[in-house]
Amino acid sequence: MPVPHTSFDLVPAAPSDGDPHRHDFLVDGRPLLHRLDETDGHDVVSPLAADLPPAVRPEHAHRLLLADGTRQVIHSCPDCEDPGCGAVTAVVVREGGDVVWRDFAWQTGTAADPVREGYPGVGPYRFHGVTYRSVLLRLLESSACRRVA
């Protein structure tokens, strides 16, 4: 039986600092980082947030838009997006008109082991493809505006 659809959006990652360009993923009305913290508490952030340079955000959004069935960084260490440093990754795949994030795992090298390092109870998430693309494209437009400003 297919996974039910999950809502997808962005939420300010650090609402107290007032920077509208820092984001986290909002899955079913709740920041994804909160779900991950409840599972294991690693110190991670969305590559769309924190102290990462703005240039990382468009590259990351483009990789998520591909939804080509490869494992992608969903949350990483606060300083980089390198899985070798430790990152939450998931397989991001297109299924028909939808995008699915599945097999979440804590990854510290070139490969992830969802059985040993997985996040029980986190995902899979099935997003309406049109909404998914629109949210990430909105982020890309916002990033372009920020670089010009």
Side-chain angles (χ1 to χ4, degrees):
M1 177 158 65
V3 176
H5 284 98
T6 305
S7 66
F8 181 75
D9 208 344
L10 298 171
V11 64
S16 61
D17 73 3
D19 185 346
H21 301 287
R22 296 180 183 199
H23 299 92
D24 188 14
F25 302 108
L26 192 65
V27 176
D28 265 352
R30 193 160 168 236
L32 182 58
L33 186 57
H34 293 181
R35 294 173 193 264
L36 297 168
D37 281 346
E38 289 171 357
T39 304
D40 82 5
H42 286 294
D43 182 22
V44 295
V45 297
S46 164
L48 309 175
D51 299 324
L52 296 172
V56 172
R57 194 172 316 126
E59 293 169 11
H60 184 72
H62 282 294
R63 285 192 302 272
L64 291 174
L65 280 166
L66 285 176
D68 61 2
T70 59
R71 185 165 286 284
Q72 296 295 324
V73 171
I74 303 298
H75 283 75
S76 61
C77 87
D79 298 318
C80 70
E81 193 181 349
D82 180 6
C85 210
V88 176
T89 61
V91 174
V92 179
V93 63
R94 195 169 293 138
E95 291 184 1
D98 298 334
V99 175
V100 176
W101 289 5
R102 62 176 169 77
D103 302 329
F104 284 80
W106 177 250
Q107 184 172 338
T108 56
T110 57
D113 183 352
V115 172
R116 194 177 56 126
E117 299 288 342
Y119 286 85
V122 176
Y125 301 118
R126 176 178 296 277
F127 307 115
H128 287 285
V130 171
T131 302
Y132 180 84
R133 283 185 292 283
S134 124
V135 166
L136 291 174
L137 290 172
R138 183 178 72 217
L139 175 69
L140 287 169
E141 289 170 8
S142 153
S143 297
C145 292
R146 183 176 187 192
R147 284 196 303 269
V148 172

